[in-house]
């Protein structure tokens, strides 16, 4: 007998296994339970979702993506308190449209920390931004200053550990070292850093992969990105400049997320090509030399990427 707790959605889901829009499979569904058709023809129940259920508990992020009709009185009051705080700080709405996985109150608290930076800390950050724009590397003091600011807001435990752990007699986070080696020597540089810590080759490769593709490209970019928009907002208000005219971490964020700065470099990187091919597209004056160093495999991949890029140019 078919479990009486099953709903119409469950029965239709089973029937759907016979074919996905007649594309993957097509055929008949043979049902051995006599009441299967009763279930599938019964009145369907809506699938509950917390953003459309007034009784479902909601976190702060939910408050701003849920219609008021699905918010309890206390939810609406909490939302109004945050909006009032936003107006008091004179923070425009567009600031909150980026990195929505980080709550408004966290962004406001981060903004307050930035507003209270010392002259020395601001100088460190400005040195970092100049270093990034000049040769795509980090100034250790500037980067560490930012990590110290964002650390209380970091929820991901692996990222938090990389910020908090500094080793013996160290003033810089492990994350600071890892970002430096990644920017200056790429994926292999990050592996070498792990090897210098007496990690095995397998361990160094697996930890570097985890760091680059999970922590760096998502977690680090997310938190640095939020710092960046709040920092630029703070400076734009103090200097009476346009938000978009303030120099920030934008170039670093692009590099960390895409491993490339140019359009063609990002296209190549998206296809997971060897780093030498990305370097070819990123180079402005050394392309022929880089290309001459390709091995046979890299030459084959390069030709495929060239076809893709040429096709996009012609579209």
């Amino acid at each position: 007998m078919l479990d009486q707790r099953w709903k119409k959605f469950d029965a239709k889901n089973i029937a759907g296994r016979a074919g996905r829009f007649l594309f993957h499979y097509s055929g008949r569904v043979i049902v051995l339970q006599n009441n299967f058709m009763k279930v599938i023809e019964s009145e369907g129940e809506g699938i509950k979702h917390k953003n459309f259920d007034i009784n479902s508990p909601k976190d702060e992020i939910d408050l701003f993506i849920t219609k008021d009709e699905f918010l309890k009185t206390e939810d609406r009051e909490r939302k109004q308190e945050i909006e009032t705080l936003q107006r008091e700080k004179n923070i425009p709405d567009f600031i909150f449209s980026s990195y929505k996985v980080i709550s408004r109150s966290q962004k406001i608290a981060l903004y307050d920390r930035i507003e209270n930076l010392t002259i020395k800390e601001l100088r460190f950050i400005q040195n970092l931004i100049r270093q990034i724009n000049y040769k795509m590397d980090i100034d250790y003091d500037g980067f560490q200053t930012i990590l110290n600011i964002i650390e209380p807001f970091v929820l991901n435990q692996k990222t938090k550990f990389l910020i908090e752990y500094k080793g013996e007699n160290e003033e810089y986070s492990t994350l600071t070292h890892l970002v430096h080696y990644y920017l200056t020597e790429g994926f292999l540089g990050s592996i070498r850093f792990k090897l210098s810590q007496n990690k095995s080759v397998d361990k160094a490769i697996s930890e570097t992969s985890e760091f680059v593709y999970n922590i760096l490209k998502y977690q680090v970019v997310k938190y640095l990105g939020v710092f960046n928009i709040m920092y630029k907002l703070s400076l734009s208000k103090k200097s009476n400049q346009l938000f978009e005219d303030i120099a920030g971490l934008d170039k670093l964020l692009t590099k960390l997320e895409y491993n490339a700065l140019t359009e063609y470099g990002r296209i190549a990187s998206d296809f997971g090509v060897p780093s030498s091919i990305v370097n070819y597209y990123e180079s402005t004056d050394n392309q022929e030399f880089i290309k001459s160093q390709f091995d046979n495999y890299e030459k084959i991949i390069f030709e495929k990427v060239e076809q893709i890029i040429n096709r996009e140019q012609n579209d």
Side-chain angles (χ1 to χ4, degrees):
M1 293 292 290
L2 193 67
D3 193 323
Q4 295 299 317
R5 293 172 298 178
W6 282 34
K7 303 293 188 290
K8 181 174 182 175
F9 174 83
D10 303 313
K12 295 190 77 171
N13 193 32
I14 291 174
R17 301 300 164 184
R20 293 293 184 212
F21 304 105
L22 299 180
F23 179 76
H24 296 294
Y25 305 98
S26 62
R28 298 179 182 275
V29 179
I30 299 175
V31 183
L32 300 180
Q33 288 90 349
N34 292 333
N35 61 343
F36 185 87
M37 293 309 297
K38 288 183 179 180
V39 175
I40 207 168
E41 292 172 356
S42 65
E43 190 69 29
E45 293 184 8
I47 301 175
K48 291 186 177 180
H49 190 283
K50 63 179 178 178
N51 298 126
F52 298 94
D53 180 7
I54 194 170
N55 294 315
S56 294
K58 298 174 179 64
D59 59 27
E60 185 187 315
I61 294 172
D62 292 322
L63 300 181
F64 292 90
I65 59 175
T66 303
K67 293 181 179 179
D68 284 350
E69 62 188 284
F70 298 110
L71 295 176
K72 292 181 179 180
T73 301
E74 54 265 35
D75 289 331
R76 290 196 295 271
E77 290 174 351
R78 189 154 57 107
K79 180 179 178 180
Q80 289 172 356
E81 289 174 0
I82 297 168
E83 290 174 332
T84 299
L85 186 59
Q86 175 188 341
R87 287 192 295 271
E88 290 174 355
K89 303 289 183 180
N90 192 26
I91 300 177
D93 285 333
F94 81 87
I95 291 294
F96 298 105
S97 63
S98 300
Y99 306 102
K100 292 183 179 180
V101 293
I102 297 179
S103 70
R104 292 194 178 207
S105 60
Q106 282 186 312
K107 288 174 179 171
I108 293 171
L110 178 58
Y111 176 78
D112 287 341
R113 288 175 69 91
I114 293 171
E115 284 284 276
N116 293 319
L117 286 172
T118 65
I119 294 175
K120 182 179 180 180
E121 289 171 327
L122 284 170
R123 187 170 65 249
F124 282 158
I125 294 171
Q126 289 163 359
N127 289 341
L128 167 68
I129 293 170
R130 280 194 292 268
Q131 181 93 326
I132 290 168
N133 291 326
Y134 174 63
K135 61 176 183 177
M136 189 45 70
D137 192 9
I138 58 170
D139 173 84
Y140 266 50
D141 290 323
F143 195 77
Q144 189 62 49
T145 298
I146 293 177
L147 293 187
N148 294 340
I149 294 168
I150 66 174
E151 186 273 329
F153 307 100
V154 175
L155 300 179
N156 179 268
Q157 291 304 305
K158 289 184 178 180
T159 308
K160 199 173 187 71
F161 171 78
L162 291 176
I163 295 174
E164 292 178 341
Y165 184 71
K166 298 179 180 179
E168 295 182 8
N169 303 317
E170 274 278 3
E171 58 179 317
Y172 301 112
S173 299
T174 299
L175 183 57
T176 300
H177 295 298
L178 288 172
V179 170
H180 163 70
Y181 283 106
Y182 179 75
L183 291 176
T184 56
E185 301 180 42
F187 192 88
L188 288 177
S190 300
I191 292 176
R192 292 191 196 100
F193 175 70
K194 292 287 184 180
L195 292 173
S196 71
Q197 297 179 313
N198 298 319
K199 300 285 179 71
S200 68
V201 173
D202 287 346
K203 192 72 172 174
I205 293 174
S206 65
E207 288 187 2
T208 298
S209 298
E210 165 74 12
F211 169 70
V212 171
Y213 296 110
N214 292 331
I215 296 175
L216 193 63
K217 291 183 180 294
Y218 179 65
Q219 298 293 341
V220 174
V221 166
K222 175 176 65 178
Y223 290 110
L224 289 183
V226 173
F227 171 87
N228 188 49
I229 58 176
M230 305 316 286
Y231 169 81
K232 291 172 69 172
L233 175 66
S234 175
L235 259 64
S236 69
K237 290 164 70 174
K238 289 178 180 178
S239 62
N240 200 29
Q241 290 180 270
L242 293 175
F243 175 87
E244 52 269 26
D245 290 339
I246 300 295
L249 305 177
D250 305 83
K251 192 173 181 180
L252 174 64
L253 293 169
T254 301
K255 176 66 176 178
L256 294 182
E257 186 170 5
Y258 299 103
N259 191 33
L261 298 174
T262 64
E263 179 185 359
Y264 294 157
R266 288 197 292 270
I267 291 173
S269 180
D270 284 344
F271 282 96
V273 303
S275 59
S276 56
I277 297 177
V278 176
N279 292 339
Y280 168 85
Y281 288 110
E282 292 289 282
S283 176
T284 57
D285 56 4
N286 206 25
Q287 284 189 328
E288 289 306 314
F289 174 77
I290 295 173
K291 186 177 178 181
S292 69
Q293 302 300 306
F294 288 170
D295 59 27
N296 290 334
Y297 172 74
E298 290 168 336
K299 290 176 182 177
I300 294 172
I301 299 301
F302 175 73
E303 291 301 324
K304 291 182 178 180
V305 174
E306 280 286 275
Q307 291 175 11
I308 294 170
I309 290 175
N310 291 334
R311 189 162 60 243
E312 290 200 2
Q313 285 180 322
N314 295 328
D315 287 345

